[in-house]
Amino acid sequence: MCECCNGKKDIYLPELCTITKRRMLNGTELFVHLEKDGGGDFDYIPGQFVEVSVAGIGEAPISISSSPTQKGMELVIRNVGALTKVIHGMEVGDKLGIRGPYGSTYPIESAKGKDLVFVCGGIGLVPQRSFIRYALDHRADYGDITVLIGTKCHDMRLFREELAMWDERKDMTVMETIDEGHDCWNGNVGVVTTLIPKVESHLPHSQILVCGPPIMYKFVLMALAEAEVPDDNIFVNLERRMKCGVGKCGHCQINELYVCQDGPVFRYSDLASVPEAI
Ligand SMILES: Cc1cc2nc3c(=O)[nH]c(=O)nc-3n(C[C@H](O)[C@H](O)[C@H](O)COP(=O)(O)OP(=O)(O)OC[C@H]3O[C@@H](n4cnc5c(N)ncnc54)[C@H](O)[C@@H]3O)c2cc1C
Ligand code: FES
């Protein structure tokens, strides 16, 4: 038993995990599958994130991309800085520290029996995939599942084989668009909001889950308002600079909200008094 914390788990102590699979999804995004060194399953709910660390280098919050219905944990890591560069150089068998899971979750219980529409921009597909996979693994619990995906360019598309498999399924609808046309692409061209009119009749009675780059929210939320979707039915996944991940340091604070604890998933109507949030 730890004496300094009276036997409570140290919230800053990472657990060692081993990379059991790795592959590049595109030029900048690395997919890793992790298993705990101590054995046992990861305990989390779609929407949550973990703090990922490499000893002597640093730590960063990373969304969980897998579903708790599967074994191990999957993350997608963009190579942007000191820590993520080191992780990109790692191989199967190398170790990462994992703290968490932290943060709020997608409405996996209250959304039961309802239609789900996921609006994903770029790397925003990563956390959304956790709930999509969870809903597919509990298919009878949810109504129609629609996934709208917008990516900047063809070469940046994520999870291509998995999207092709989702596209084959009769029990979900997947629509993709890329911002800029490409010789190998005969699908929709334009930003993700160009897909919204195609599903407009679905929207007012669906739960809408939105995740993407900050610029996307403004336009998606405008389109949803035009489609008369109640703010209560919209969930947004916000990203802010974080340090502790557990509501202690204030790095992620927006007025009275701590994005690491109150978010990253927020019901849009709960942000009405915090216009700075979006
Ligand atoms: C809830 C949450 C979930 C996330 N999920 C993912 C995910 O699934 N995958 C993923 O790849 N990333 C994710 N991120 C982002 C990731 O945590 C950051 O990109 C992290 O900073 C990477 O760490 P690093 O040490 O590699 O890069 P850093 O050294 O932190 O640099 C990252 C970039 O940010 C800039 N930067 C550094 N510090 C600051 C600062 N104080 N102010 C402004 N800019 C700064 C740097 O110049 C660089 O461009 C998530 C963030 C949050 C909050
Ligand atoms: S990251 Fe420290 S309070 Fe949110």
Side-chain angles (χ1 to χ4, degrees):
M1 180 187 289
C2 171
E3 283 170 16
C4 62
C5 53
N6 294 325
K8 285 189 199 138
K9 194 177 162 194
D10 181 346
I11 53 171
Y12 297 111
L13 192 65
E15 198 175 348
L16 269 190
C17 297
T18 298
I19 299 176
T20 48
K21 290 179 203 160
R22 80 176 292 287
R23 67 173 198 278
M24 292 303 291
L25 296 182
N26 59 29
T28 50
E29 261 85 48
L30 171 71
F31 166 91
V32 290
H33 182 277
L34 303 172
E35 301 281 350
K36 284 187 185 190
D37 280 13
D41 290 331
F42 291 94
D43 188 12
Y44 61 90
I45 298 176
Q48 293 190 291
F49 68 94
V50 284
E51 289 282 347
V52 178
S53 58
V54 175
I57 305 292
E59 189 179 55
I62 300 290
S63 309
I64 302 170
S65 191
S66 47
S67 159
T69 45
Q70 64 185 95
K71 203 169 153 25
M73 178 184 282
E74 291 171 354
L75 309 174
V76 174
I77 297 170
R78 179 172 283 181
N79 189 354
V80 291
L83 174 72
T84 48
K85 183 174 174 212
V86 168
I87 297 174
H88 270 242
M90 289 182 153
E91 299 295 341
V92 167
D94 286 340
K95 313 277 182 199
L96 289 175
I98 298 288
R99 279 199 295 132
Y102 300 127
S104 62
T105 70
Y106 283 114
I108 58 167
E109 290 303 323
S110 63
K112 281 185 176 164
K114 297 177 183 161
D115 294 345
L116 306 178
V117 176
F118 295 87
V119 184
C120 317
I123 199 171
L125 174 60
V126 168
Q128 302 263 61
R129 176 175 175 261
S130 179
F131 189 14
I132 297 168
R133 290 185 70 138
Y134 181 88
L136 292 175
D137 286 340
H138 295 90
R139 190 64 195 87
D141 287 346
Y142 299 95
D144 292 345
I145 299 178
T146 304
V147 184
L148 310 182
I149 303 166
T151 313
K152 214 173 199 166
C153 61
H154 181 265
D155 294 345
M156 295 291 285
R157 292 173 63 232
L158 299 170
F159 295 113
R160 296 173 201 193
E161 295 85 11
E162 192 164 355
L163 295 192
M165 287 195 295
W166 289 353
D167 201 34
E168 298 271 297
R169 290 179 69 130
K170 301 274 177 279
D171 60 353
M172 71 186 295
T173 304
V174 180
M175 293 185 196
E176 242 194 299
T177 184
I178 55 175
D179 292 2
E180 304 151 13
H182 188 279
D183 290 347
C184 308
W185 179 255
N186 49 21
N188 197 85
V189 175
V191 293
V192 73
T193 40
T194 60
L195 297 175
I196 289 180
K198 299 178 198 275
V199 295
E200 202 162 344
S201 60
H202 264 290
L203 296 175
H205 55 263
S206 298
Q207 302 291 291
I208 321 280
L209 303 309
V210 187
C211 187
I215 182 75
M216 185 190 98
Y217 287 95
K218 183 176 161 203
F219 295 103
V220 170
L221 291 167
M222 267 164 42
L224 296 179
E226 269 173 39
E228 297 184 358
V229 179
D231 290 353
D232 271 355
N233 292 4
I234 303 172
F235 294 83
V236 293
N237 197 321
L238 298 187
E239 207 179 278
R240 283 292 186 281
R241 294 229 143 247
M242 289 182 187
K243 206 114 192 118
C244 69
V246 288
K248 305 279 185 208
C249 72
H251 261 72
C252 66
Q253 195 171 356
I254 317 169
N255 297 347
E256 73 276 18
L257 290 181
Y258 288 89
V259 177
C260 66
Q261 283 195 316
D262 302 313
V265 179
F266 291 92
R267 193 186 283 273
Y268 183 44
S269 50
D270 291 341
L271 295 176
S273 61
V274 200
E276 306 86 330
I278 292 192

